[in-house]
Structures are given as C-alpha cells and as structure tokens.
Amino acid sequence: MATSKTIEEINRKLEKGTAIVMTAEELCNLIRDDQKVTMDDIDVVTAATRGLMSGTLIILSFKVSEPATFKKAEKIYLNDIPGYVGPCPNEWLGVIDAIFYGTAHSISEPEKYGGGHLFRDLIEKKDIHVRVTTVEGKTIELTTNLNEIPFAKMMAIRNTFKNYLAFVNPHGEELSSIFSAQKFKGNFAELTFCGCGELNPIQKDPNLDVIGIGTPILMNGALGYIIGSGTRSSKEKPNLMAIAEMHDMKPEYAGGFITSSGPEVINSWAVAIPILNEKIFQNVCITDEQIKLAVVDVKGRTPLATKTYADVWQGVDFQISYNKADCLECEVCLVEKNCPMTAFSREEGINQSLCFNCGHCVNLCPGKAFKGTLGQIKVLNHDIPIVLRQSDRYRASKLAKELKKQILNGTFKLTLPISKLKFQ
C-alpha cells in the first residue's frame, strides 16, 4: 500500500490512462455505501461549489470611441450598472479600463438587476448598453458585447468559503436580508442555508496542503488561478482569491440572484485535489455527516444550534422540477413574480440553464406544481422547514464532473502551488 505519491507520478498515470479520478460526490457516496476505499484506489478528487459569492468583480478594457474624442472618462455604466473608471487614464485613446462589482445594483432597476446579472449577460455574449461621461461633460453611448471587449477578467476577492451557515429569524418581525429571497419570516418559521457540504473544495483540503497560490481552477467553467487568500480569510474560516478569463466562461454557472435586500452575484468553482498522502486522502473522505453546520440568528448571527450538512443535503432533491398539470393557473403566478433567478414562466416552464435549484418555488406555489424535497431542521424544539438554498449542489456536482473529464482528457493540467497561502 502506497504511503505517498508525487504530482509527477499522478501526471504520468494520467498520460498513460491509468489514473483514477473521482468527483467528491462519487467518493463520498462510496464511503456512505460502506465500500472500502484506500489511497491506492484514487489519484485525484474533483471538488466544486456554487453559491452567492459577494466578493466578485470584473475588470474590463475596451474601446468606446475613436482616439482624440475625449481626454478621459469620469463615469461609466453598463446596462445601468455603475462601474469605476481607471486606474489607467488612457488619455485621448478612446479606451476605458473599468471595474464592476458583482454586488452593484442598477440605477434604474435596483431591486431586479445587479452586477451578477450583468456578468451573466456578458458571458452569454448579449448586447450591453454602454454610457460614458467624460471629464469634458460629454456623454457617449454605444452598444457592445463580450466579443468586442478584448480584456475581460473575473476576479474573486472572497470566494469558496469552507461552507457557511444556516439562518433563522427568531424575532417577531419580518426582516430584509441577503439570506432570504423575500422578507425573512420571524418566530422560527423558516430556515435558509449556504454551502455545498462535502463537495466544497476547501472542505476537501481544510489545511490547504495542495490548494495554494498558482493552483489552477475552473471558475464558471473557465480556467483560472488562485492568487492568494481572500479578504477576511483566516485559518479557522479560509476563503480564496482567484482570477479567470471571462471569454471562456459558461453562463449556466454564473448569474444574479435576487434577495430581499436586492440582487447578489453567483459564482462557481471547481478545484482538483491530488491525493499525495494519507492525510490528504482522509480529508477528501470527509462526508456531510461529519461537517458541522451552525444555525444562527440572521440578525447578528448569534449561534442557536449546531447541525451537519447531512441535515440539509442528504435525503433531499438537488434539482427542482415542474409539473404543469398541477398548475392552478392563478391570476398572479407567485413563482413567476418572485423567482430569485427569474427562471420560470408559465409559458416556458423552468429555464434549467438559469435555475439555481434554490427551492423557493416549492414553498411559493399553492398548487404544489414544483417538486423538490428540501427537508427541515429541528432547532430549539422548533421543526423548521428549509425554504431556500443559497448554494446549488446540483450544478456544483456538474462542474466537478466537467473538471474530472478535462483532467482525464488532458486539457486540464495538475500542478502544485508555487507557495502556500497566507492568512490575515
């Protein structure tokens, strides 16, 4: 039985077609089925997560006019999302460098359209309305799309937490929160949560033995690289910073999610974990049943109970479906009106490419036309139904499978980090 492997040995096995690559889901299901798995049985595990990740921004550089038309830009808006011009002045060049935050809100539709929606529209190669105000007071308007933007990078400054929290509102009044799709009902009426549990990349490598600076990843399906630990990252609660090319991203992994406090941004990551030693192997074998999930008061995040990710991800449906035969044809469709992804219409049904599988529709529909078991959790003698999942395990699993395929066909190369991550 091997006690250690090198990345070179694993890459040679991949070249020969003899390496064993599993997704985190495949491995954990084997373990739950009491299948004996050893370090000799696996060379690489692919882990992934998809969820609301506020610490996401994009950096663009593109032409907005002919040279000598204006000296410098002062303000810029894309689809009414405000950006930040600079830092390069690009004096008299007609080219703008700009940064847009995933949490930015449209000035014309602040409750419905945010930076995450803009990012997905760009990735879908849709036409984008550009409005620029120059230092001379001129206004320049044009239409562009990602094919006409030569430089487009997405940067994560705080992504891929080692799972997160579950939330309840124990107070008498309803609250607005980024952790609810509509007003968060009080008196322990409902529970929401974040985190992909056993699929989460940092959960598979909690000591960051093989995840570090320079580690290649898939961000929204495109190749990217980890460039450091994220903001407010610590050894106890690590998160990651990375950058990736937007032109290669896939729309189904990105997007905007409407919360009761306005639009948020969705991001998806997949990371390969090479099994170099027994310690790493034992970490990738950790299942939902062993991963703690703290239930907190949404107002102040005071801890109320400790559960596990098995309580929210085992015995439930990862994907939501719709049965039109059960539709009551309400005068106003609550799901069409309130879907956080605007992913449903009565004419078309669920747009599966847009759907986040959050489950909000399951509880909204009076006819129970939407199918998906979300489960419930007992907290302080309250049996609380799960009404919203702000992580999409269905599509995280799909991205982990995509990464596995790329590793096996040689298009994604395994490397070790150039240096360890440092924390604040």
Side-chain angles (χ1 to χ4, degrees):
M1 178 180 292
T3 57
S4 65
K5 305 173 189 175
T6 67
I7 196 73
E8 291 78 17
E9 289 171 341
I10 293 174
N11 281 327
R12 282 196 293 269
K13 290 179 71 175
L14 285 167
E15 290 174 3
K16 294 177 181 178
T18 59
I20 305 299
V21 181
M22 293 186 191
T23 67
E25 183 177 40
E26 290 170 336
L27 175 61
C28 290
N29 283 341
L30 287 176
I31 293 167
R32 260 189 296 274
D33 290 340
D34 293 324
Q35 298 289 319
K36 183 174 175 58
V37 184
T38 70
M39 184 177 156
D40 289 332
D41 300 318
I42 186 166
D43 297 297
V44 184
V45 169
T46 59
T49 188
R50 183 178 192 235
L52 276 64
M53 301 190 191
S54 301
T56 305
L57 58 87
I58 62 172
I59 308 167
L60 307 177
S61 181
F62 61 103
K63 179 180 177 180
V64 298
S65 75
E66 294 302 319
T69 304
F70 65 95
K71 185 176 182 180
K72 289 191 297 183
E74 190 171 58
K75 296 180 181 179
I76 184 170
Y77 301 85
L78 297 186
N79 285 356
D80 266 356
I81 299 290
Y84 296 86
V85 179
C88 298
N90 295 327
E91 188 177 87
W92 298 116
L93 295 180
V95 173
I96 288 181
D97 294 354
I99 295 172
F100 295 84
Y101 294 150
T103 52
H105 295 171
S106 161
I107 60 173
S108 56
E109 293 185 298
E111 296 180 354
K112 296 181 179 180
Y113 192 86
H117 299 92
L118 170 64
F119 298 173
R120 177 161 178 144
D121 285 345
L122 281 164
I123 295 167
E124 286 185 332
K125 311 297 194 297
K126 289 183 178 179
D127 283 344
I128 305 297
H129 178 258
V130 183
R131 186 170 82 255
V132 175
T133 302
T134 73
V135 292
E136 298 92 343
K138 295 180 182 178
T139 297
I140 298 172
E141 298 192 60
L142 66 147
T143 298
T144 192
N145 59 62
L146 193 61
N147 291 328
E148 297 174 347
I149 300 175
F151 185 98
K153 309 288 186 185
M154 182 173 287
M155 186 173 180
I157 63 168
R158 186 170 68 252
N159 273 204
T160 321
F161 291 87
K162 190 174 68 175
N163 290 302
Y164 206 58
L165 298 168
F167 301 89
V168 297
N169 177 10
H171 309 283
E173 74 278 6
E174 294 183 343
L175 298 170
S176 294
S177 171
I178 60 171
F179 300 110
S180 64
Q182 293 180 274
K183 286 290 184 71
F184 209 133
K185 294 179 181 177
N187 297 318
F188 294 95
E190 55 190 26
L191 181 144
T192 73
F193 77 92
C194 311
C196 282
E198 65 192 22
L199 271 63
N200 188 286
I202 297 182
Q203 195 68 60
K204 299 287 93 172
D205 184 25
N207 302 308
L208 299 173
D209 294 308
V210 291
I211 296 176
I213 296 174
T215 298
I217 64 168
L218 292 184
M219 185 188 293
N220 299 328
L223 179 64
Y225 295 92
I226 294 172
I227 57 177
S229 56
T231 61
R232 302 204 307 268
S233 183
S234 66
K235 287 187 177 180
E236 295 74 26
K237 296 181 178 180
N239 67 79
L240 302 172
M241 181 180 289
I243 193 164
E245 173 58 61
M246 283 188 73
H247 292 90
D248 301 327
M249 290 183 177
K250 297 181 179 180
E252 66 176 300
Y253 294 116
F257 187 97
I258 301 171
T259 76
S260 62
S261 282
E264 273 286 337
V265 57
I266 293 167
N267 218 352
S268 304
W269 284 51
V271 182
I273 311 294
I275 310 304
L276 303 180
N277 54 50
E278 186 66 24
K279 175 186 172 186
I280 295 171
F281 173 71
Q282 292 300 326
N283 283 331
V284 298
C285 290
I286 292 172
T287 64
D288 285 329
E289 290 79 1
Q290 300 164 277
I291 303 171
K292 291 181 179 180
L293 173 62
V295 183
V296 303
D297 181 342
V298 70
K299 189 178 180 180
R301 304 191 191 179
T302 304
L304 301 173
T306 300
K307 300 295 179 177
T308 73
Y309 272 90
D311 293 311
V312 296
W313 282 127
Q314 294 302 311
V316 301
D317 297 309
F318 292 171
Q319 189 174 26
I320 304 301
S321 60
Y322 170 65
N323 185 0
K324 190 173 184 178
D326 292 330
C327 177
L328 300 180
E329 298 186 2
C330 303
E331 184 176 350
V332 176
C333 176
L334 294 176
V335 176
E336 192 169 31
K337 181 181 178 181
N338 297 297
C339 173
M341 299 293 296
T342 62
F344 175 77
S345 72
R346 280 197 285 206
E347 292 74 19
E348 303 293 333
I350 296 176
N351 181 339
Q352 291 294 349
S353 174
L354 263 178
C355 181
F356 190 71
N357 299 294
C358 68
H360 188 48
C361 54
V362 174
N363 297 286
L364 277 179
C365 179
K368 304 301 178 185
F370 295 83
K371 312 300 179 185
T373 301
L374 304 183
Q376 63 179 20
I377 293 181
K378 193 176 191 70
V379 178
L380 302 179
N381 295 319
H382 297 273
D383 291 317
I384 309 176
I386 297 168
V387 300
L388 186 72
R389 306 185 293 208
Q390 289 190 307
S391 293
D392 180 3
R393 188 138 150 177
Y394 173 78
R395 199 155 274 109
S397 175
K398 183 177 179 181
L399 188 58
K401 291 173 184 175
E402 284 195 28
L403 179 55
K404 172 183 174 178
K405 181 179 178 181
Q406 290 186 28
I407 291 169
L408 289 172
N409 67 24
T411 56
F412 186 97
K413 304 297 183 182
L414 297 182
T415 64
L416 291 180
I418 58 174
S419 65
K420 298 281 283 185
L421 290 166
K422 295 181 180 179
F423 299 100
Q424 298 174 6

mmCIF file of all heavy atoms in Angstrom, residues 195-222:
data_model
loop_
_atom_site.group_PDB
_atom_site.id
_atom_site.type_symbol
_atom_site.label_atom_id
_atom_site.label_comp_id
_atom_site.label_asym_id
_atom_site.label_seq_id
_atom_site.Cartn_x
_atom_site.Cartn_y
_atom_site.Cartn_z
ATOM 1 N N GLY A 195 -23.751 26.722 1.436
ATOM 2 C CA GLY A 195 -22.648 25.767 1.487
ATOM 3 C C GLY A 195 -22.972 24.463 0.793
ATOM 4 O O GLY A 195 -24.087 23.944 0.931
ATOM 5 N N CYS A 196 -22.006 23.928 0.055
ATOM 6 C CA CYS A 196 -22.188 22.671 -0.681
ATOM 7 C C CYS A 196 -21.670 21.455 0.076
ATOM 8 O O CYS A 196 -21.504 20.371 -0.503
ATOM 9 C CB CYS A 196 -21.520 22.756 -2.052
ATOM 10 S SG CYS A 196 -22.496 23.698 -3.251
ATOM 11 N N GLY A 197 -21.369 21.612 1.377
ATOM 12 C CA GLY A 197 -21.021 20.460 2.196
ATOM 13 C C GLY A 197 -19.799 19.716 1.710
ATOM 14 O O GLY A 197 -18.736 20.295 1.479
ATOM 15 N N GLU A 198 -19.945 18.411 1.518
ATOM 16 C CA GLU A 198 -18.820 17.541 1.190
ATOM 17 C C GLU A 198 -18.233 17.803 -0.193
ATOM 18 O O GLU A 198 -17.152 17.294 -0.506
ATOM 19 C CB GLU A 198 -19.250 16.075 1.293
ATOM 20 C CG GLU A 198 -20.300 15.668 0.272
ATOM 21 C CD GLU A 198 -20.927 14.308 0.550
ATOM 22 O OE1 GLU A 198 -20.872 13.880 1.719
ATOM 23 O OE2 GLU A 198 -21.464 13.690 -0.385
ATOM 24 N N LEU A 199 -18.904 18.568 -1.033
ATOM 25 C CA LEU A 199 -18.363 18.892 -2.356
ATOM 26 C C LEU A 199 -17.407 20.083 -2.313
ATOM 27 O O LEU A 199 -16.652 20.309 -3.261
ATOM 28 C CB LEU A 199 -19.490 19.212 -3.335
ATOM 29 C CG LEU A 199 -20.103 18.060 -4.127
ATOM 30 C CD1 LEU A 199 -20.764 17.058 -3.194
ATOM 31 C CD2 LEU A 199 -21.124 18.580 -5.135
ATOM 32 N N ASN A 200 -17.453 20.853 -1.234
ATOM 33 C CA ASN A 200 -16.723 22.116 -1.167
ATOM 34 C C ASN A 200 -15.212 21.916 -1.251
ATOM 35 O O ASN A 200 -14.651 21.094 -0.532
ATOM 36 C CB ASN A 200 -17.072 22.831 0.141
ATOM 37 C CG ASN A 200 -16.511 24.227 0.204
ATOM 38 O OD1 ASN A 200 -15.319 24.397 0.391
ATOM 39 N ND2 ASN A 200 -17.363 25.215 0.055
ATOM 40 N N PRO A 201 -14.510 22.660 -2.137
ATOM 41 C CA PRO A 201 -13.059 22.453 -2.310
ATOM 42 C C PRO A 201 -12.234 22.589 -1.037
ATOM 43 O O PRO A 201 -11.370 21.749 -0.760
ATOM 44 C CB PRO A 201 -12.680 23.531 -3.339
ATOM 45 C CG PRO A 201 -13.928 23.750 -4.124
ATOM 46 C CD PRO A 201 -15.047 23.609 -3.131
ATOM 47 N N ILE A 202 -12.479 23.646 -0.240
ATOM 48 C CA ILE A 202 -11.674 23.812 0.974
ATOM 49 C C ILE A 202 -12.030 22.758 2.013
ATOM 50 O O ILE A 202 -11.186 22.346 2.811
ATOM 51 C CB ILE A 202 -11.826 25.240 1.544
ATOM 52 C CG1 ILE A 202 -11.289 26.270 0.542
ATOM 53 C CG2 ILE A 202 -11.070 25.386 2.861
ATOM 54 C CD1 ILE A 202 -11.352 27.708 1.031
ATOM 55 N N GLN A 203 -13.258 22.257 1.992
ATOM 56 C CA GLN A 203 -13.621 21.170 2.899
ATOM 57 C C GLN A 203 -12.844 19.901 2.566
ATOM 58 O O GLN A 203 -12.528 19.097 3.448
ATOM 59 C CB GLN A 203 -15.119 20.889 2.807
ATOM 60 C CG GLN A 203 -15.654 20.048 3.946
ATOM 61 C CD GLN A 203 -15.615 20.781 5.270
ATOM 62 O OE1 GLN A 203 -16.233 21.823 5.416
ATOM 63 N NE2 GLN A 203 -14.898 20.247 6.248
ATOM 64 N N LYS A 204 -12.505 19.725 1.292
ATOM 65 C CA LYS A 204 -11.717 18.555 0.872
ATOM 66 C C LYS A 204 -10.231 18.732 1.174
ATOM 67 O O LYS A 204 -9.484 17.757 1.207
ATOM 68 C CB LYS A 204 -11.894 18.304 -0.634
ATOM 69 C CG LYS A 204 -13.302 18.011 -1.100
ATOM 70 C CD LYS A 204 -13.811 16.632 -0.716
ATOM 71 C CE LYS A 204 -14.562 16.586 0.574
ATOM 72 N NZ LYS A 204 -15.205 15.272 0.847
ATOM 73 N N ASP A 205 -9.809 19.980 1.353
ATOM 74 C CA ASP A 205 -8.403 20.264 1.684
ATOM 75 C C ASP A 205 -8.366 21.335 2.770
ATOM 76 O O ASP A 205 -7.913 22.459 2.550
ATOM 77 C CB ASP A 205 -7.661 20.733 0.423
ATOM 78 C CG ASP A 205 -6.168 20.950 0.653
ATOM 79 O OD1 ASP A 205 -5.611 20.324 1.574
ATOM 80 O OD2 ASP A 205 -5.572 21.762 -0.077
ATOM 81 N N PRO A 206 -8.878 21.017 3.976
ATOM 82 C CA PRO A 206 -9.074 22.043 5.008
ATOM 83 C C PRO A 206 -7.797 22.698 5.504
ATOM 84 O O PRO A 206 -7.827 23.826 5.992
ATOM 85 C CB PRO A 206 -9.772 21.275 6.137
ATOM 86 C CG PRO A 206 -9.385 19.847 5.915
ATOM 87 C CD PRO A 206 -9.283 19.685 4.431
ATOM 88 N N ASN A 207 -6.661 22.001 5.378
ATOM 89 C CA ASN A 207 -5.385 22.573 5.804
ATOM 90 C C ASN A 207 -4.648 23.250 4.652
ATOM 91 O O ASN A 207 -3.517 23.718 4.813
ATOM 92 C CB ASN A 207 -4.502 21.486 6.413
ATOM 93 C CG ASN A 207 -5.171 20.803 7.592
ATOM 94 O OD1 ASN A 207 -5.628 21.466 8.515
ATOM 95 N ND2 ASN A 207 -5.244 19.479 7.550
ATOM 96 N N LEU A 208 -5.296 23.270 3.479
ATOM 97 C CA LEU A 208 -4.723 23.880 2.278
ATOM 98 C C LEU A 208 -3.325 23.324 2.001
ATOM 99 O O LEU A 208 -2.373 24.059 1.779
ATOM 100 C CB LEU A 208 -4.712 25.405 2.416
ATOM 101 C CG LEU A 208 -6.113 26.021 2.590
ATOM 102 C CD1 LEU A 208 -6.029 27.503 2.900
ATOM 103 C CD2 LEU A 208 -6.979 25.794 1.364
ATOM 104 N N ASP A 209 -3.253 21.997 2.003
ATOM 105 C CA ASP A 209 -1.991 21.322 1.701
ATOM 106 C C ASP A 209 -1.668 21.344 0.215
ATOM 107 O O ASP A 209 -0.496 21.406 -0.175
ATOM 108 C CB ASP A 209 -2.051 19.866 2.189
ATOM 109 C CG ASP A 209 -2.143 19.765 3.701
ATOM 110 O OD1 ASP A 209 -1.301 20.388 4.379
ATOM 111 O OD2 ASP A 209 -3.042 19.072 4.208
ATOM 112 N N VAL A 210 -2.701 21.280 -0.639
ATOM 113 C CA VAL A 210 -2.470 21.257 -2.089
ATOM 114 C C VAL A 210 -3.165 22.405 -2.820
ATOM 115 O O VAL A 210 -2.961 22.591 -4.012
ATOM 116 C CB VAL A 210 -2.915 19.910 -2.705
ATOM 117 C CG1 VAL A 210 -1.994 18.796 -2.255
ATOM 118 C CG2 VAL A 210 -4.358 19.579 -2.364
ATOM 119 N N ILE A 211 -3.985 23.174 -2.107
ATOM 120 C CA ILE A 211 -4.572 24.389 -2.671
ATOM 121 C C ILE A 211 -3.724 25.564 -2.206
ATOM 122 O O ILE A 211 -3.519 25.754 -1.002
ATOM 123 C CB ILE A 211 -6.026 24.583 -2.209
ATOM 124 C CG1 ILE A 211 -6.925 23.458 -2.734
ATOM 125 C CG2 ILE A 211 -6.553 25.931 -2.676
ATOM 126 C CD1 ILE A 211 -8.362 23.530 -2.223
ATOM 127 N N GLY A 212 -3.205 26.331 -3.160
ATOM 128 C CA GLY A 212 -2.353 27.456 -2.797
ATOM 129 C C GLY A 212 -2.200 28.423 -3.950
ATOM 130 O O GLY A 212 -2.929 28.354 -4.950
ATOM 131 N N ILE A 213 -1.260 29.328 -3.841
ATOM 132 C CA ILE A 213 -1.036 30.319 -4.893
ATOM 133 C C ILE A 213 -0.558 29.619 -6.165
ATOM 134 O O ILE A 213 0.390 28.843 -6.150
ATOM 135 C CB ILE A 213 -0.010 31.366 -4.439
ATOM 136 C CG1 ILE A 213 -0.570 32.145 -3.251
ATOM 137 C CG2 ILE A 213 0.354 32.322 -5.579
ATOM 138 C CD1 ILE A 213 0.401 33.117 -2.621
ATOM 139 N N GLY A 214 -1.249 29.890 -7.260
ATOM 140 C CA GLY A 214 -0.915 29.271 -8.537
ATOM 141 C C GLY A 214 -1.720 28.029 -8.854
ATOM 142 O O GLY A 214 -1.623 27.500 -9.969
ATOM 143 N N THR A 215 -2.540 27.550 -7.925
ATOM 144 C CA THR A 215 -3.363 26.368 -8.191
ATOM 145 C C THR A 215 -4.364 26.674 -9.303
ATOM 146 O O THR A 215 -5.105 27.653 -9.219
ATOM 147 C CB THR A 215 -4.131 25.942 -6.927
ATOM 148 O OG1 THR A 215 -3.196 25.586 -5.911
ATOM 149 C CG2 THR A 215 -5.052 24.769 -7.207
ATOM 150 N N PRO A 216 -4.416 25.843 -10.355
ATOM 151 C CA PRO A 216 -5.416 26.060 -11.406
ATOM 152 C C PRO A 216 -6.802 25.649 -10.928
ATOM 153 O O PRO A 216 -6.952 24.719 -10.132
ATOM 154 C CB PRO A 216 -4.931 25.162 -12.553
ATOM 155 C CG PRO A 216 -4.163 24.072 -11.876
ATOM 156 C CD PRO A 216 -3.529 24.699 -10.657
ATOM 157 N N ILE A 217 -7.816 26.340 -11.406
ATOM 158 C CA ILE A 217 -9.202 26.057 -11.043
ATOM 159 C C ILE A 217 -10.081 26.214 -12.274
ATOM 160 O O ILE A 217 -9.629 26.688 -13.320
ATOM 161 C CB ILE A 217 -9.705 27.029 -9.949
ATOM 162 C CG1 ILE A 217 -9.716 28.474 -10.496
ATOM 163 C CG2 ILE A 217 -8.862 26.925 -8.680
ATOM 164 C CD1 ILE A 217 -10.450 29.461 -9.617
ATOM 165 N N LEU A 218 -11.322 25.824 -12.157
ATOM 166 C CA LEU A 218 -12.350 26.240 -13.100
ATOM 167 C C LEU A 218 -13.242 27.236 -12.379
ATOM 168 O O LEU A 218 -13.795 26.937 -11.320
ATOM 169 C CB LEU A 218 -13.198 25.052 -13.574
ATOM 170 C CG LEU A 218 -12.527 24.010 -14.461
ATOM 171 C CD1 LEU A 218 -13.543 22.953 -14.906
ATOM 172 C CD2 LEU A 218 -11.866 24.646 -15.684
ATOM 173 N N MET A 219 -13.347 28.450 -12.922
ATOM 174 C CA MET A 219 -14.282 29.441 -12.401
ATOM 175 C C MET A 219 -15.368 29.641 -13.444
ATOM 176 O O MET A 219 -15.075 30.056 -14.571
ATOM 177 C CB MET A 219 -13.580 30.771 -12.101
ATOM 178 C CG MET A 219 -14.492 31.803 -11.436
ATOM 179 S SD MET A 219 -13.748 33.459 -11.290
ATOM 180 C CE MET A 219 -12.428 33.155 -10.131
ATOM 181 N N ASN A 220 -16.581 29.281 -13.089
ATOM 182 C CA ASN A 220 -17.701 29.331 -14.035
ATOM 183 C C ASN A 220 -17.362 28.590 -15.329
ATOM 184 O O ASN A 220 -17.767 28.985 -16.423
ATOM 185 C CB ASN A 220 -18.100 30.774 -14.332
ATOM 186 C CG ASN A 220 -18.551 31.512 -13.087
ATOM 187 O OD1 ASN A 220 -19.122 30.916 -12.183
ATOM 188 N ND2 ASN A 220 -18.280 32.806 -13.023
ATOM 189 N N GLY A 221 -16.587 27.527 -15.196
ATOM 190 C CA GLY A 221 -16.243 26.682 -16.333
ATOM 191 C C GLY A 221 -14.995 27.089 -17.076
ATOM 192 O O GLY A 221 -14.554 26.375 -17.982
ATOM 193 N N ALA A 222 -14.394 28.231 -16.737
ATOM 194 C CA ALA A 222 -13.196 28.715 -17.426
ATOM 195 C C ALA A 222 -11.959 28.513 -16.555
ATOM 196 O O ALA A 222 -12.032 28.556 -15.327
ATOM 197 C CB ALA A 222 -13.335 30.193 -17.776
#
